Amino acid sequence: MFFSIARARLDSQTLSIAAAALLGLSLIFVAGFANATALHDAAHDQRHAIAFPCH
Amino acid sequence: MTSRILSGALIAGLAAGLLAAALNLWTLTPLILQAEAFEGPAHSHAGDGTAHDHGAHDHDGAEGLADAGHVHEDASGLSRSFGTIAMTLVAYAGFGLVLGAGMAAAERAGHVPSARTGVLWGLAGFAAVQLAPAVGLPPELPGTVSADLAARQMWWALCAASTATGLAALAFGRGATTPLLGVALILVPHLLGAPQPPSHEGLVPPGLAAAFATRSLGVAVLSWAVLGALTGALSRRAPARVPA
């Protein structure tokens, strides 16, 4: 019983860690990699500053 | 404490992002504007290089290269700065969440985060996301000659992921072989080599490019250290229960 509760808690933690990592990576993708023109123009100076490959 | 670490990481990301955006606007944007002044005449030259147009550019060339950048800037200066601030916040929120996810995973293995260990996490993040990629692809100004964009983006992502995994193996690995694996992971992207342009001729003066690269790394190391320290500090448990 105790074991299974601990196990369930562990799994929900794993899920939230994975979700946070995924959300973080997608934010980085939007800020640094996405090609849409409007995005690129807004992000242009920042991409150079953080040294994401640009142009 | 997982959710506490993750929500703290998001807040830390936004705070470090604000710091990075302010430092970028102060130290880096002026260099970008100067570089665009060098880039600009070449562009219009290629576009419709009539003698008249060329003469007009020569006119403001010698004394006002920076001025030319400012003219370009004044038209959309505010929205441009706003874009830089907003997208820096997005980038650092992302950095914070990934860093927080790493710290939360490490916490479950018994490495409780604090402001002190957070600084180390932040510096490791700097090494993975800024320093190691900069070895192959130096931070560059507009107008610099560079290789194919998609190839550089692939190498950048590979280098950041490989360095981060390698550093994690060095920091948390057990046994004799894990550190060796860590060193190998850190070296592999550089042995493969970053995509390079056929030549390094560019429109930007070398001094300007050098100042941009060093300032970019300087801003980044400070912002990442703050990001890590804040993520660690915010992850601390709520005031400990006082024994009755």
Side-chain angles (χ1 to χ4, degrees), chain B residues 193-204:
Chain B
Q196 297 295 325
S199 84
H200 280 285
E201 290 165 24
L203 300 162
V204 179

Side-chain angles (χ1 to χ4, degrees), chain B residues 35-79:
Chain B
E36 282 177 351
F38 285 102
E39 191 186 30
H43 271 310
S44 77
H45 197 66
D48 52 6
T50 61
H52 180 77
D53 198 32
H54 191 229
H57 275 295
D58 272 354
H59 178 65
D60 67 12
E63 57 172 25
L65 284 171
D67 277 349
H70 279 300
V71 171
H72 176 73
E73 166 71 353
D74 282 344
S76 59
L78 202 63
S79 73

Side-chain angles (χ1 to χ4, degrees), chain A residues 10 14 45 48-50 55, chain B residues 2 80 108 130 140 152 216:
Chain A
L10 246 115
T14 311
D45 292 2
H48 279 281
I50 302 189
H55 297 299
Chain B
T2 302
R80 184 168 177 169
R108 288 178 49 186
Q130 308 267 179
E140 59 184 28
R152 282 182 292 136
S216 164

Side-chain angles (χ1 to χ4, degrees), chain B residues 1-227:
Chain B
M1 295 316 289
T2 302
S3 63
R4 190 177 177 82
I5 295 178
L6 295 176
S7 56
L10 186 59
I11 296 168
L14 293 174
L18 266 184
L19 173 71
L23 292 174
N24 286 346
L25 286 175
W26 176 36
T27 64
L28 294 173
T29 303
L31 298 183
I32 293 177
L33 295 178
Q34 279 188 50
E36 282 177 351
F38 285 102
E39 191 186 30
H43 271 310
S44 77
H45 197 66
D48 52 6
T50 61
H52 180 77
D53 198 32
H54 191 229
H57 275 295
D58 272 354
H59 178 65
D60 67 12
E63 57 172 25
L65 284 171
D67 277 349
H70 279 300
V71 171
H72 176 73
E73 166 71 353
D74 282 344
S76 59
L78 202 63
S79 73
R80 184 168 177 169
S81 301
F82 180 78
T84 302
I85 295 168
M87 295 308 279
T88 307
L89 287 178
V90 172
Y92 272 85
F95 294 154
L97 281 173
V98 175
L99 197 70
M103 289 169 88
E107 193 230 14
R108 288 178 49 186
H111 305 280
V112 180
S114 69
R116 279 166 187 249
T117 58
V119 172
L120 291 177
W121 277 90
L123 292 178
F126 162 76
V129 171
Q130 308 267 179
L131 189 59
V135 170
L137 300 171
E140 59 184 28
L141 282 163
T144 311
V145 176
S146 42
D148 175 56
L149 175 61
R152 282 182 292 136
Q153 288 182 329
M154 290 265 286
W155 186 86
W156 188 97
L158 169 79
C159 183
S162 184
T163 307
T165 315
L167 286 173
L170 284 178
F172 301 114
R174 298 202 186 88
T177 51
T178 327
L180 289 177
L181 184 71
V183 171
L185 278 169
I186 292 169
L187 289 179
V188 156
H190 306 286
L191 295 175
L192 288 174
Q196 297 295 325
S199 84
H200 280 285
E201 290 165 24
L203 300 162
V204 179
L208 207 59
F212 185 80
T214 45
R215 286 185 196 183
S216 164
L217 289 174
V219 167
V221 74
L222 189 61
S223 308
W224 273 95
V226 168
L227 174 64

